[in-house]
Amino acid sequence: MDPWLIWLIIAGVLAVAEIFTLTAALGMLSAAALVTAGSAAVGLPLPFQFLVFTAVATVTLLFLRPVALRHVLKPQAARFGVDALVGKGAYVVSEVTGLGGRVRIDGEEWTARALDETQVIPAGKTVDVIEISGATAIVYPRD
Protein backbone atom coordinates (compact mmCIF):
# COMPACT_ATOMS: atom_id res chain seq x y z
CA MET A 1 0.00 0.00 0.00
CA ASP A 2 1.31 3.47 -0.88
CA PRO A 3 2.39 5.70 2.03
CA TRP A 4 0.16 8.58 0.87
CA LEU A 5 -2.87 6.29 1.08
CA ILE A 6 -1.94 5.23 4.61
CA TRP A 7 -1.65 8.88 5.66
CA LEU A 8 -5.00 9.60 4.00
CA ILE A 9 -6.64 6.76 5.95
CA ILE A 10 -5.08 8.06 9.17
CA ALA A 11 -6.43 11.54 8.39
CA GLY A 12 -9.92 10.10 7.82
CA VAL A 13 -9.89 8.07 11.04
CA LEU A 14 -8.74 11.09 13.04
CA ALA A 15 -11.42 13.29 11.41
CA VAL A 16 -14.15 10.80 12.33
CA ALA A 17 -12.80 10.54 15.87
CA GLU A 18 -12.88 14.36 16.10
CA ILE A 19 -16.58 14.34 15.25
CA PHE A 20 -17.26 12.20 18.31
CA THR A 21 -14.92 13.99 20.74
CA LEU A 22 -15.17 17.67 19.68
CA THR A 23 -11.81 18.52 21.24
CA ALA A 24 -10.28 20.17 18.14
CA ALA A 25 -7.02 18.30 18.84
CA LEU A 26 -7.85 15.29 16.71
CA GLY A 27 -9.03 17.57 13.95
CA MET A 28 -5.65 19.32 13.95
CA LEU A 29 -3.87 15.96 13.84
CA SER A 30 -6.15 14.95 10.97
CA ALA A 31 -5.11 18.09 9.07
CA ALA A 32 -1.45 17.28 9.72
CA ALA A 33 -1.96 13.76 8.38
CA LEU A 34 -3.67 15.19 5.31
CA VAL A 35 -0.75 17.53 4.60
CA THR A 36 1.62 14.61 5.14
CA ALA A 37 -0.39 12.53 2.66
CA GLY A 38 0.23 15.27 0.09
CA SER A 39 3.94 15.30 0.81
CA ALA A 40 4.05 11.49 0.55
CA ALA A 41 2.21 11.66 -2.78
CA VAL A 42 4.97 13.86 -4.25
CA GLY A 43 7.58 11.29 -3.19
CA LEU A 44 9.04 12.61 0.06
CA PRO A 45 10.94 9.84 1.92
CA LEU A 46 9.36 8.34 5.05
CA PRO A 47 11.62 10.08 7.64
CA PHE A 48 10.74 13.45 6.09
CA GLN A 49 7.05 12.50 6.11
CA PHE A 50 7.24 12.05 9.87
CA LEU A 51 9.03 15.39 10.11
CA VAL A 52 6.26 17.08 8.08
CA PHE A 53 3.58 15.44 10.26
CA THR A 54 5.34 16.53 13.46
CA ALA A 55 5.86 20.10 12.26
CA VAL A 56 2.30 20.59 11.02
CA ALA A 57 0.79 18.93 14.10
CA THR A 58 2.88 21.11 16.42
CA VAL A 59 2.01 24.33 14.62
CA THR A 60 -1.71 23.57 14.46
CA LEU A 61 -1.96 22.37 18.07
CA LEU A 62 0.03 25.27 19.49
CA PHE A 63 -1.30 28.13 17.37
CA LEU A 64 -4.54 27.18 15.60
CA ARG A 65 -6.27 25.15 18.32
CA PRO A 66 -6.38 27.96 20.93
CA VAL A 67 -7.91 30.31 18.35
CA ALA A 68 -10.48 27.70 17.34
CA LEU A 69 -11.40 26.96 20.96
CA ARG A 70 -11.79 30.67 21.70
CA HIS A 71 -14.36 30.92 18.92
CA VAL A 72 -16.18 27.73 19.87
CA LEU A 73 -16.37 28.50 23.59
CA LYS A 74 -17.52 32.11 23.09
CA PRO A 75 -20.70 32.73 25.11
CA GLN A 76 -23.91 33.01 23.17
CA ALA A 77 -24.47 36.64 22.15
CA ALA A 78 -28.25 36.64 21.96
CA ARG A 79 -30.86 34.96 24.14
CA PHE A 80 -33.75 33.21 22.44
CA GLY A 81 -37.21 32.00 23.41
CA VAL A 82 -38.33 32.43 27.00
CA ASP A 83 -34.74 33.17 28.08
CA ALA A 84 -35.01 36.46 26.19
CA LEU A 85 -37.94 37.52 28.39
CA VAL A 86 -36.01 37.35 31.65
CA GLY A 87 -35.07 40.86 32.74
CA LYS A 88 -37.71 42.58 30.60
CA GLY A 89 -40.39 44.83 31.91
CA ALA A 90 -44.03 43.75 31.94
CA TYR A 91 -47.37 45.50 32.43
CA VAL A 92 -49.74 44.01 35.02
CA VAL A 93 -53.10 43.31 33.35
CA SER A 94 -54.82 41.78 36.36
CA GLU A 95 -53.68 41.75 39.99
CA VAL A 96 -50.64 39.55 40.56
CA THR A 97 -50.22 37.66 43.84
CA GLY A 98 -48.20 34.68 44.95
CA LEU A 99 -50.96 32.47 43.55
CA GLY A 100 -51.52 34.03 40.14
CA GLY A 101 -52.34 36.96 37.91
CA ARG A 102 -51.79 38.21 34.34
CA VAL A 103 -49.08 40.37 32.79
CA ARG A 104 -48.32 41.62 29.28
CA ILE A 105 -44.76 41.06 28.07
CA ASP A 106 -43.88 42.44 24.62
CA GLY A 107 -47.54 42.46 23.60
CA GLU A 108 -48.26 38.89 24.75
CA GLU A 109 -50.32 38.07 27.79
CA TRP A 110 -48.78 35.66 30.30
CA THR A 111 -49.90 34.09 33.55
CA ALA A 112 -47.80 35.47 36.38
CA ARG A 113 -46.91 35.00 40.02
CA ALA A 114 -45.20 37.41 42.37
CA LEU A 115 -41.67 36.46 43.40
CA ASP A 116 -42.55 37.31 46.99
CA GLU A 117 -45.66 35.25 47.76
CA THR A 118 -46.90 37.82 50.28
CA GLN A 119 -46.91 40.65 47.75
CA VAL A 120 -49.96 41.91 45.88
CA ILE A 121 -49.20 43.86 42.72
CA PRO A 122 -52.19 45.87 41.45
CA ALA A 123 -53.20 46.13 37.79
CA GLY A 124 -51.52 48.92 35.88
CA LYS A 125 -48.13 48.57 37.61
CA THR A 126 -44.86 47.80 35.82
CA VAL A 127 -42.92 44.75 36.94
CA ASP A 128 -39.66 43.04 36.00
CA VAL A 129 -39.65 39.44 34.79
CA ILE A 130 -37.33 37.55 37.12
CA GLU A 131 -37.84 34.03 35.79
CA ILE A 132 -40.04 32.01 33.46
CA SER A 133 -41.35 28.81 35.01
CA GLY A 134 -43.22 26.77 32.42
CA ALA A 135 -45.82 29.20 31.05
CA THR A 136 -45.77 31.44 34.12
CA ALA A 137 -43.73 34.60 34.53
CA ILE A 138 -42.31 35.15 38.00
CA VAL A 139 -42.32 38.94 38.48
CA TYR A 140 -41.16 41.58 40.93
CA PRO A 141 -42.52 45.16 41.05
CA ARG A 142 -40.39 48.06 39.89
CA ASP A 143 -39.97 50.82 42.44
Side-chain angles (χ1 to χ4, degrees), residues 27-88:
M28 302 296 165
L29 293 176
S30 174
L34 194 61
V35 170
T36 307
S39 69
V42 296
L44 207 61
L46 190 60
F48 290 113
Q49 291 174 25
F50 284 119
L51 188 64
V52 167
F53 178 79
T54 304
V56 174
T58 301
V59 167
T60 57
L61 287 174
L62 290 179
F63 300 110
L64 241 53
R65 185 172 184 261
V67 173
L69 287 178
R70 227 181 355 257
H71 287 286
V72 169
L73 300 176
K74 191 184 299 184
Q76 189 176 12
R79 294 183 299 170
F80 298 97
V82 294
D83 291 336
L85 299 177
V86 174
K88 286 195 171 204

Side-chain angles (χ1 to χ4, degrees), residues 85 87-91 104-106 126-129 142:
L85 299 177
K88 286 195 171 204
Y91 176 78
R104 180 162 293 139
I105 309 169
D106 284 344
T126 303
V127 293
D128 288 318
V129 178
R142 284 188 179 169

Side-chain angles (χ1 to χ4, degrees), residues 14 17 41 96:
L14 287 169
V96 176

